[in-house]
Amino acid sequence: MITLQNISKSFRVAKRQTGLGNAARALFSREYKKVQALDNVSFTINEGEMVGYIGPNGAGKSTTIKVMCGILTPDSGECKINGRTPWKERKSHVRDIGVVFGQRSQLWWDVPVIDSFELIRDIYKVNSNEYQKTLDTLTELLDLGEIIKTPTRSLSLGQRMRCEIVASLLHNPKILFLDEPTIGLDAVSKIAVRQFIKNLNAEMKTTVILTTHDMQDIEALTERILLIGKGRILLDGSLTELQKRFSCEKTLIVDYNGQMPKLSDNMTPVELKEGRLTVTFDPTKLSVSDAIAYISNQVEVADISVVSISAEQMVAALYEEHKI
Amino acid sequence: MKLYGKFFSIHLRCQMQYKASFFMTSLGQFLVSFSLLLGIFFMFLRFNTVEGFTFEQVLLCSAVILFTYSIAECFGRGFDAFPMMIGNGEFDRALVRPRSEVFLVLASKMEFSRIGRLLQAIALFCYAIPTSGIDWSADKVLTLFLMISCGVVIFFGLFVIYAAISFFTIEGIEVMNIVTDGGREFGAYPFSIYGNEVLKILTYVIPLALFQYYPLLYLIGVRDNPLYIFTPLIGLLFLIPCYGLWRFGLRKYKSTGS
Amino acid sequence: MSAYLALFRIRFSAGLQYRAAALGGIATQFAWGFMLILQFAAFYRTNPDAFPMTPSQIASYIWMQQALLALFMTWFVEHDILSSITSGSIAYELARPMNLYNRWFCQATANRVVKATLRFVPILLIAFLLPEPFRMTLPENLEQLSFFLVSTVLALCVVVAFSMFIYTTVFYTLSSAGVRLVASVLADFFAGAIIPLPFFPDGVRQVVELLPFAAMQNMPLRIYSGSITGSDVLWGLGLQAFWLITLVILGKLAMRKALTKVIVQGG
């Protein structure tokens, strides 16, 4: 169980001077500006939940993660994770969490992956039986097998990321933070990683907090999303809800033979061509099946598709809406 | 301690993957300090003594400094390379491990190529111990032992300060080289030759002279007060402000994340 | 030329951005200078008669050495040049209508000048104001000063020509790190970076003073401090010129040979 209440954090950043004269002046005095990285951030995440934490770069995502990992002390506000305040009881807190930084490795580059795993086991003082059990479960779940006997440097990026995730789970944490776990992966690896995270959450009831720029990650994994921008939580809701809000409009594309069909009053034309018709409509006023029926009654339909807004477009629209 | 051993083994295996580069770096370490020694040799060909110290006595002094510095650098490399650890986020990774920060930094890096310097120091000992004219009774052996062991700890303390300062500024960190690299380079001669002011600084502020100069006086028989045997132990007090500064820096890091 | 000036300006203001680094570097070099002077002073006190320079000469030598460190250090590597050889992008360089050796030579020289400029003024400014025996002094006369300037330019060129020659070994060995390492330790030692050449034992010194390394920092620093005067100065400048020409010719030949090899092997 994670609760954040009115967490605020600001940094002082030195202004870089341009030009020779200003640069020389900056040798002696320097101007600073205050950056509000987190501004009254509050949310609650329940046990076993899987949450997508999204926002543009510099919005405060990694600051929040750092606070929740106990690396950073906020200026004000309260944070309780499993009943502890992370930055006050760092050592006991981090025993219960796993962290994957997508862009930095925790595996030793030049030795077999299994050696890194064993070192991590010793760092966390996991007893051997328990470790073996966890390792067996995870290697099977992730289909790692022989991979863990090869040195990290000869793994593909996808294999490495799966090993990274395993490394963060060896001590059986209740909470897993994933910071851009699919960055740079090819399509197949991405799907494998996503599937694994999904299984993990389903079988081990691990709470997962995921930051990503890849909306397909979000679509595939999380029901709930948190949107942060300029240090503030702008939206906290389910993906379906959001989709409903944005997909009050659907697009219908029809390839047909014959004369151009007439449109119903509830349809807005987007493109009308010989052989292809694109219209948008509001599904609350005209149901999808009625719309299809309306057209197919008039012409012979060769192909038909109904498109609703993608998560990608939705987030772009959200950023636009909040001007972040 | 057992865990440190595991880290040691994994570091060793990793570095042995790159034998050529390991050999090169060791050779470089060896050559650089060898050219300094050659300089000392040339100076003594001309002057025979400096401020009452003979060549062999100065070599003994060089050996102590070279040995202690190399050991401290080999095992305290995590602190020496700490600005890098902060820069690339490795320190954040360490902070999500359930161990003490000092241990995690200590174990994060080991630099075995310092063996280039270490071998040279050992060779120097082999030459200087029999030729320095010292009668190696038990008290003198104890003195040398304390010089070496406490010297490692004091140099290590300097690396901790180095790391602590990098919590505040990474840019200006070069200043610390005055005491780390400078201590190694200028410590080749007994610190008294640099004059009283320098000796005072190196006694009371950065206590390098406590394990290099004062016990050396006892070794070569200039002083026979047995108190001089134990001056290196006084130097260990230096660790207290080092650790304090480290704690202070760590608190600052946790509140700014940089 | 204006392009070079612009480049210089950019590098310079970029260097100023890192104020703490600049101040820290200067402080370090100062401490270094002080300790070195104190070290030599100890030997002077021990036996003034055996001291081959005057205390004031050694102070000038050391401060000028610190101020011009970036011009003369042999271990300073042009990473652009090295990586363009190792990565194979040298093929593009060859396509340009410029002599590669000359261009790299200019680039390396310019980089060193920029680096040195940032530290040169503050170090000398303070060194002139220090009390005895640390104070830096001006050369005896204007003639000596101008010889120093000429000698500095020659020494810088010799250092760059020497490094260029070393770079060409990259073509022949996979890891040239070892060659560079040994070369720079040797060069520094025999150029008087650890102890000035007059302190070398007789017999060794006479030989070392003829080596190309003596044409590096040894010459300008000793001319400035007044350890070399009179007709010896002209002889010294002649030696520098000789080694510069020799090293450039050797460097060009080595590079031409290496490049033919690259072209034959196709990279």
Side-chain angles (χ1 to χ4, degrees):
Chain A
M1 168 93 157
I2 302 173
T3 38
L4 270 75
Q5 235 169 5
N6 302 322
I7 295 280
S8 288
K9 178 83 213 166
S10 64
F11 299 116
R12 216 170 61 127
V13 181
K15 282 186 190 164
R16 282 269 184 241
Q17 302 294 333
T18 50
L20 196 56
N22 286 332
R25 220 168 299 134
L27 275 174
F28 305 101
S29 71
R30 187 163 276 191
E31 283 175 60
Y32 291 92
K33 64 176 179 209
K34 201 173 135 190
V35 176
Q36 193 73 35
L38 294 179
D39 189 1
N40 274 312
V41 168
S42 307
F43 56 78
T44 305
I45 295 170
N46 291 316
E47 229 173 285
E49 239 188 310
M50 185 132 69
V51 178
Y53 195 40
I54 57 173
N57 286 327
K61 286 195 305 274
S62 65
T63 308
T64 322
I65 299 282
K66 278 184 180 176
V67 167
M68 290 194 283
C69 292
I71 298 173
L72 203 62
T73 316
D75 297 340
S76 62
E78 250 185 77
C79 171
K80 284 265 185 253
I81 296 178
N82 298 324
R84 294 191 199 94
T85 305
W87 57 91
K88 284 185 186 148
E89 300 160 78
R90 184 185 68 83
K91 269 194 262 179
S92 44
H93 166 66
V94 295
R95 214 177 276 281
D96 284 345
I97 63 166
V99 191
V100 176
F101 295 111
Q103 313 203 46
R104 318 177 195 131
S105 181
Q106 58 179 320
L107 302 170
W108 294 69
W109 194 242
D110 297 306
V111 291
V113 175
I114 186 78
D115 292 11
S116 297
F117 286 176
E118 278 167 13
L119 190 68
I120 289 166
R121 172 196 67 192
D122 295 331
I123 294 175
Y124 285 91
K125 298 179 187 155
V126 183
N127 82 44
S128 295
N129 293 331
E130 216 170 294
Y131 162 78
Q132 203 51 49
K133 230 169 64 195
T134 319
L135 185 63
D136 290 345
T137 323
L138 289 173
T139 39
E140 198 180 327
L141 209 58
L142 264 178
D143 194 19
L144 286 174
E146 292 300 302
I147 291 177
I148 59 172
K149 292 185 184 119
T150 24
T152 312
R153 61 159 190 267
S154 31
L155 297 182
S156 74
L157 207 54
Q159 291 170 328
R160 213 176 83 202
M161 184 48 68
R162 281 185 283 162
C163 292
E164 293 279 348
I165 299 176
V166 172
S168 298
L169 290 169
L170 290 171
H171 57 291
N172 256 320
K174 296 193 191 87
I175 302 167
L176 180 65
F177 293 98
L178 293 163
D179 192 9
E180 310 211 18
T182 57
I183 196 162
L185 300 188
D186 60 71
V188 180
S189 306
K190 271 185 188 175
I191 291 169
V193 167
R194 281 178 202 140
Q195 193 53 47
F196 168 64
I197 298 171
K198 216 168 187 168
N199 291 344
L200 178 83
N201 174 259
E203 286 178 26
M204 300 182 133
K205 300 278 169 283
T206 312
T207 311
V208 177
I209 292 141
L210 169 85
T211 75
T212 183
H213 285 294
D214 188 336
M215 286 312 140
Q216 285 174 332
D217 287 351
I218 300 283
E219 259 177 332
L221 290 173
T222 65
E223 184 45 37
R224 177 175 166 201
I225 57 171
L226 282 165
L227 173 74
I228 187 169
K230 289 180 186 153
R232 258 176 291 186
I233 297 287
L234 299 173
L235 192 131
D236 179 355
S238 82
L239 196 64
T240 354
E241 226 171 83
L242 204 65
Q243 232 147 10
K244 255 185 219 145
R245 186 175 135 206
F246 275 96
S247 58
C248 43
E249 217 166 59
K250 281 192 188 297
T251 307
L252 181 71
I253 304 166
V254 187
D255 289 339
Y256 62 91
N257 299 318
Q259 285 248 304
M260 185 168 316
K262 266 198 310 179
L263 300 183
S264 113
D265 292 342
N266 288 321
M267 289 176 181
T268 326
V270 178
E271 199 180 19
L272 302 171
K273 268 195 320 200
E274 194 70 34
R276 167 171 274 201
L277 162 101
T278 310
V279 294
T280 57
F281 62 93
D282 183 345
T284 52
K285 292 189 187 137
L286 176 69
S287 77
V288 178
S289 55
D290 286 348
I292 295 173
Y294 191 86
I295 301 288
S296 57
N297 281 340
Q298 299 177 57
V299 289
E300 187 190 330
V301 174
D303 192 10
I304 196 161
S305 58
V306 185
V307 186
S308 54
I309 187 169
S310 74
E312 199 89 35
Q313 286 167 308
M314 211 156 62
V315 169
L318 269 179
Y319 286 5
E320 179 77 14
E321 188 183 313
H322 292 284
K323 297 197 169 50
I324 53 174
Chain B
M1 204 59 213
K2 216 175 116 205
L3 182 60
Y4 189 79
K6 297 235 166 87
F7 270 101
F8 184 91
S9 129
I10 211 164
H11 276 292
L12 195 64
R13 268 178 292 154
C14 282
Q15 283 178 34
M16 285 311 128
Q17 297 280 318
Y18 303 94
K19 289 206 180 64
S21 142
F22 172 79
F23 180 73
M24 272 303 151
T25 324
S26 306
L27 180 73
Q29 301 277 327
F30 183 89
L31 283 175
V32 171
S33 48
F34 184 75
S35 74
L36 282 174
L37 277 176
L38 198 59
I40 296 175
F41 179 62
F42 281 2
M43 291 302 273
F44 273 93
L45 278 184
R46 180 175 287 272
F47 294 92
N48 295 316
T49 62
V50 64
E51 304 262 295
F53 295 100
T54 66
F55 180 56
E56 286 75 18
Q57 290 165 349
V58 168
L59 279 194
L60 195 62
C61 194
S62 309
V64 168
I65 288 283
L66 207 56
F67 192 88
T68 50
Y69 187 88
S70 311
I71 299 270
E73 208 189 12
C74 170
F75 296 104
R77 183 71 189 159
F79 287 95
D80 191 27
F82 192 68
M84 214 169 69
M85 259 185 102
I86 289 190
N88 65 16
E90 222 180 300
F91 186 55
D92 286 345
R93 161 56 69 191
L95 283 178
V96 299
R97 303 281 191 216
R99 295 284 173 151
S100 86
E101 291 93 352
V102 171
F103 176 83
L104 290 164
V105 176
L106 203 59
S108 73
K109 291 218 167 45
M110 289 169 214
E111 186 57 65
F112 298 109
S113 66
R114 297 308 180 253
I115 195 149
R117 272 203 211 116
L118 203 63
L119 286 177
Q120 190 159 4
I122 291 169
L124 283 180
F125 274 129
C126 291
Y127 175 76
I129 285 178
T131 58
S132 56
I134 297 167
D135 170 27
W136 291 99
S137 51
D139 54 334
K140 304 257 160 132
V141 173
L142 174 68
T143 312
L144 188 62
F145 172 75
L146 286 179
M147 284 169 88
I148 292 173
S149 49
C150 297
V152 171
V153 177
I154 291 170
F155 266 127
F156 177 72
L158 286 179
F159 290 138
V160 174
I161 292 190
Y162 184 85
I165 290 178
S166 62
F167 280 125
F168 302 94
T169 166
I170 290 187
E171 278 180 26
I173 202 74
E174 204 190 325
V175 182
M176 272 303 284
N177 292 345
I178 298 174
V179 283
T180 52
D181 290 349
R184 184 194 67 222
E185 215 130 298
F186 297 109
Y189 293 99
F191 283 123
S192 61
I193 74 155
Y194 301 98
N196 255 329
E197 286 75 18
V198 173
L199 186 62
K200 267 184 201 146
I201 293 173
L202 293 175
T203 304
Y204 299 111
V205 187
I206 304 144
L208 294 178
L210 288 182
F211 76 88
Q212 190 239 32
Y213 173 65
Y214 299 105
L216 183 76
L217 292 182
Y218 184 82
L219 271 189
I220 62 177
V222 173
R223 294 276 187 283
D224 46 16
N225 183 345
L227 213 65
Y228 279 78
I229 305 175
F230 300 104
T231 47
L233 290 175
I234 303 172
L236 295 184
L237 292 176
F238 182 57
L239 278 190
I240 299 169
C242 294
Y243 186 68
L245 195 65
W246 164 260
R247 296 295 314 174
F248 183 63
L250 191 64
R251 225 181 37 227
K252 188 250 170 195
Y253 180 82
K254 285 187 175 170
S255 76
T256 62
S258 61
Chain C
M1 201 57 210
S2 65
Y4 276 108
L5 267 181
L7 188 77
F8 193 82
R9 267 179 70 99
I10 292 169
R11 288 273 165 90
F12 197 74
S13 60
L16 279 178
Q17 290 285 0
Y18 300 96
R19 63 165 175 173
L23 293 177
I26 290 169
T28 309
Q29 283 186 275
F30 251 100
W32 227 257
F34 267 115
M35 291 300 277
L36 282 173
I37 290 174
L38 287 169
Q39 204 175 74
F40 281 102
F43 281 100
Y44 184 77
R45 279 196 305 275
T46 305
N47 186 357
D49 295 333
F51 210 76
M53 294 165 90
T54 68
S56 133
Q57 280 176 353
I58 196 85
S60 293
Y61 185 100
I62 287 168
W63 288 129
M64 195 48 95
Q65 182 180 45
Q66 294 300 324
L68 298 181
L69 188 70
L71 290 190
F72 302 138
M73 53 193 181
T74 48
W75 43 266
F76 178 69
V77 185
E78 291 289 326
H79 286 286
D80 286 3
I81 297 180
L82 265 195
S83 66
S84 96
I85 298 175
T86 45
S87 72
S89 68
I90 191 170
Y92 298 103
E93 304 275 355
L94 288 172
R96 294 192 208 178
M98 280 170 104
N99 182 305
L100 193 58
Y101 185 92
N102 294 353
R103 209 163 61 79
W104 278 353
F105 196 97
C106 287
Q107 186 187 330
T109 316
N111 270 346
R112 282 170 184 272
V113 172
V114 169
K115 269 189 188 306
T117 314
L118 280 171
R119 293 193 177 177
F120 178 75
V121 180
I123 290 180
L124 288 192
L125 212 67
I126 306 174
F128 275 113
L129 298 174
L130 291 173
E132 297 285 355
F134 301 104
R135 185 186 300 158
M136 168 139 197
T137 45
L138 279 171
E140 296 258 305
N141 48 45
L142 216 60
E143 205 184 355
Q144 194 83 1
L145 185 67
S146 41
F147 282 139
F148 157 72
L149 292 176
V150 176
S151 178
T152 301
V153 175
L154 283 170
L156 170 62
C157 291
V158 170
V159 170
V160 173
F162 177 73
S163 338
M164 294 284 291
F165 185 66
I166 298 300
Y167 291 154
T168 52
T169 61
V170 181
F171 288 105
Y172 298 101
T173 55
L174 264 175
S175 153
S176 69
V179 181
R180 272 187 286 132
L181 200 78
V182 175
S184 75
V185 172
L186 272 181
D188 267 356
F189 188 75
F190 290 117
I194 313 277
I195 56 171
L197 259 47
F199 288 87
F200 279 44
D202 286 333
V204 178
R205 195 188 68 233
Q206 281 81 348
V207 178
V208 171
E209 282 187 332
L210 294 175
L211 298 180
F213 313 115
M216 298 177 176
Q217 55 177 298
N218 166 58
M219 211 55 84
L221 297 181
R222 279 173 71 193
I223 292 176
Y224 184 91
S225 61
S227 149
I228 297 179
T229 49
S231 60
D232 289 348
V233 172
L234 293 176
W235 157 252
L237 294 180
L239 184 85
Q240 283 188 294
F242 167 75
W243 279 120
L244 176 58
I245 293 165
T246 312
L247 282 171
V248 168
I249 291 174
L250 280 178
K252 286 199 170 197
L253 283 178
M255 185 169 274
R256 187 176 306 163
K257 209 168 156 216
L259 289 180
T260 346
K261 185 172 155 256
V262 169
I263 292 163
V264 170
Q265 294 183 341

